Amino acid sequence: MKGKKYEKRQWVGLLFVAPFIIGFLVFKLYPFVMSFNYSFTEFDLFAGAQYVGLENYIKIFTNDRDFYNSLNVTFIYTLISVPLKIAFALFIAGVLTTKIRGINLFRTIYYLPSVLGGSIAVSILWKFLFVKDGLINELLAVIHLGPIDWLGSPDIALYTISMLTVWQFGSSMVLFLAGLKNVPVDLYEAARVDGAGKVRVFFKITLPMISPIILFNLVMQSINALQQFTAAFVITNGGPLKSTYLYGMMLYQQAFEYLNMGYASALSWILFIIIVGLTAIIFKSSSYWTYYEDGGEF
């Protein structure tokens, strides 16, 4: 009798996890495996796939200037946006640890950009703010500065769209906030007794204690930045002069504008290998700058 009940519970459990398993197999694993297969084909949506071996990869590395340009632009974008976003999120989290009235309301307000930041609507809003006759230049005109061609200058446009990513600091901020609240107070008290200043306390106590959260944010934000697409597509469409032509945009154009699915699949696998490599480097380096109270052993 007990055996039958146990067996029935097993089926109920499987029934609950079935939507996730089916969704993972159909929408994650199958496209993942098939994209690797298509990367070795010349695949047109209307003409079908034809096996071409390594031709797509050879063409990408030897005969595609856009590949190197988009890769360079994406790396610069990542180097700008990720450190700024992490630093800004940590700064705001530090401010929000102060004990003032209505602090929970301020925390909610600061988190709002992350809820809205990735949407098409906010990207369009960002575009209207930074066009030559937009609100930002009108505010600068009040103090007799500008106008600045935020989106039309190849030297500035990438920095402008990077600011949109920095603005979406809410998720990182929440993690830092939790980390800062968990730093033992007695460590700060002992440092004060020893005469340590605020700067020294920050670098010797606060940063080491929240270094695992910095590691997590660094990995996740780097992965997101390397896959960024929306901001460049909506705000600048890759211009001017392809100065904001991110890798995600090139991948999108090859797949859905030129319908070169095989070529786009090869590009996506190169990006996947870059992300895996970068993540491995970050984890390898983390042993030198990340502190775990239990020594980092599981």
Side-chain angles (χ1 to χ4, degrees):
M1 192 68 180
K2 283 185 179 178
K4 283 185 178 180
K5 278 187 178 179
Y6 180 72
E7 194 175 325
K8 190 178 178 182
R9 284 179 184 175
Q10 275 190 320
W11 282 108
V12 171
L14 284 172
L15 192 63
F16 276 109
V17 299
F20 169 77
I21 293 174
I22 293 170
F24 174 76
L25 292 175
V26 175
F27 298 112
K28 296 281 187 182
L29 189 60
Y30 178 73
F32 184 77
V33 174
M34 289 307 295
S35 71
F36 184 69
N37 179 43
Y38 289 144
S39 71
F40 298 103
T41 66
E42 186 178 343
F43 180 27
D44 188 304
L45 280 178
F46 301 103
Q50 184 179 356
Y51 183 73
V52 293
L54 293 172
E55 191 176 305
N56 287 329
Y57 291 96
I58 293 170
K59 187 179 175 183
I60 288 170
F61 286 111
T62 61
N63 194 30
D64 193 339
R65 290 182 180 178
D66 282 343
F67 167 72
Y68 290 105
N69 176 57
S70 64
L71 207 57
N72 184 46
V73 170
T74 304
F75 280 136
I76 295 173
Y77 171 81
T78 304
L79 288 173
I80 296 170
S81 62
V82 173
L84 280 177
K85 187 175 182 178
I86 292 175
F88 193 58
L90 180 56
F91 171 73
I92 297 296
V95 171
L96 292 178
T97 53
T98 54
K99 294 177 181 176
I100 59 173
R101 196 172 181 182
I103 190 67
N104 287 332
L105 176 64
F106 287 113
R107 288 171 183 167
T108 306
I109 292 171
Y110 276 109
Y111 187 73
L112 280 179
S114 285
V115 179
L116 305 171
S119 69
I120 299 292
V122 173
S123 296
I124 293 172
L125 173 66
W126 205 258
K127 185 176 181 178
F128 279 110
L129 285 174
F130 284 94
V131 289
K132 212 166 184 179
D133 55 350
L135 180 63
I136 301 299
N137 276 335
E138 285 186 11
L139 292 174
L140 288 176
V142 174
I143 54 175
H144 305 290
L145 290 176
I148 299 172
D149 197 359
W150 298 99
L151 302 175
S153 169
D155 297 326
I156 303 175
L158 188 61
Y159 294 93
T160 307
I161 65 167
S162 298
M163 290 306 106
L164 177 59
T165 303
V166 175
W167 189 58
Q168 304 165 40
F169 62 89
S171 301
S172 301
M173 180 201 72
V174 170
L175 293 170
F176 280 133
L177 193 58
L180 290 173
K181 299 284 278 183
N182 282 324
V183 177
V185 180
D186 55 343
L187 291 179
Y188 291 124
E189 290 173 349
R192 284 194 203 99
V193 170
D194 291 340
K198 288 185 178 179
V199 176
R200 193 169 185 186
V201 168
F202 177 74
F203 283 103
K204 295 293 182 180
I205 295 177
T206 306
L207 275 187
M209 293 303 290
I210 63 169
S211 56
I213 299 172
I214 296 175
L215 171 63
F216 177 79
N217 277 324
L218 182 61
V219 171
M220 297 308 295
Q221 299 308 329
S222 297
I223 292 172
N224 287 336
L226 289 170
Q227 298 180 92
Q228 180 56 252
F229 165 73
T230 308
F233 179 71
V234 175
I235 299 173
T236 60
N237 198 27
L241 301 176
K242 294 196 173 181
S243 60
T244 60
Y245 193 61
L246 296 178
Y247 198 91
M249 269 213 65
M250 181 186 179
L251 213 160
Y252 170 83
Q253 285 186 332
Q254 288 293 337
F256 299 107
E257 289 186 13
Y258 311 140
L259 302 179
N260 294 328
M261 291 296 174
Y263 197 79
S265 297
L267 284 171
S268 66
W269 269 90
I270 292 170
L271 179 60
F272 173 71
I273 291 168
I274 290 172
I275 289 173
V276 170
L278 181 64
T279 305
I281 291 170
I282 293 173
F283 270 106
K284 186 69 178 174
S285 70
S286 68
S287 60
Y288 297 101
W289 55 269
T290 306
Y291 169 76
Y292 296 98
E293 286 187 83
D294 61 355
E297 295 179 2
F298 297 100

